[in-house]
Amino acid sequence: MASLSEISIKNNRLSDITGICNSVRELHLEDNELGSSWDVNSNVMSTLENLEVLDLSLNQINVLDAGLFAKMLQLQRLYLNFNSVDSFPGGLFVNNKNLKILSIAHN
């Protein structure tokens, strides 16, 4: 699994994720329940340094850790649509120099 590049775990009832392979370049987690009992935090996502695409849409997320995306230096597209995020911590994307698309509709 060292060369796994894309994971799609859409449309489930996941409330937690752990152990995602760090070679993943695309991670699709849309339409789960990650925000209901799991605050999306930097500990879970810190190993995903090669991630280019992350979709967390439709997850009931309302809190984002300030360091959540800090180690995702390759991140190019981030989708947070249809959540309940009402604010973004200062400096949230300071390390994401490659970020081209940030979609935050319907929050």
Side-chain angles (χ1 to χ4, degrees), residues 26-75:
E26 291 193 30
L27 182 56
H28 298 272
L29 294 168
E30 54 270 45
D31 201 9
N32 280 290
E33 298 176 0
L34 297 177
S36 58
S37 63
W38 174 71
D39 286 336
V40 180
N41 67 61
S42 52
N43 292 332
V44 173
M45 298 294 203
S46 65
T47 62
L48 302 176
E49 298 174 1
N50 296 310
L51 207 58
E52 296 173 2
V53 178
L54 176 59
D55 195 335
L56 293 169
S57 298
L58 293 160
N59 268 294
Q60 306 166 13
I61 297 168
N62 53 21
V63 175
L64 298 172
D65 271 7
L68 179 60
F69 307 111
K71 293 187 178 179
M72 296 181 192
L73 304 180
Q74 304 305 315
L75 191 63

Side-chain angles (χ1 to χ4, degrees), residues 88-104:
F88 293 88
L92 183 63
F93 303 111
V94 71
N95 293 338
N96 307 109
K97 308 293 186 212
N98 293 316
L99 190 63
K100 293 175 178 57
I101 297 173
L102 172 61
S103 188
I104 56 173

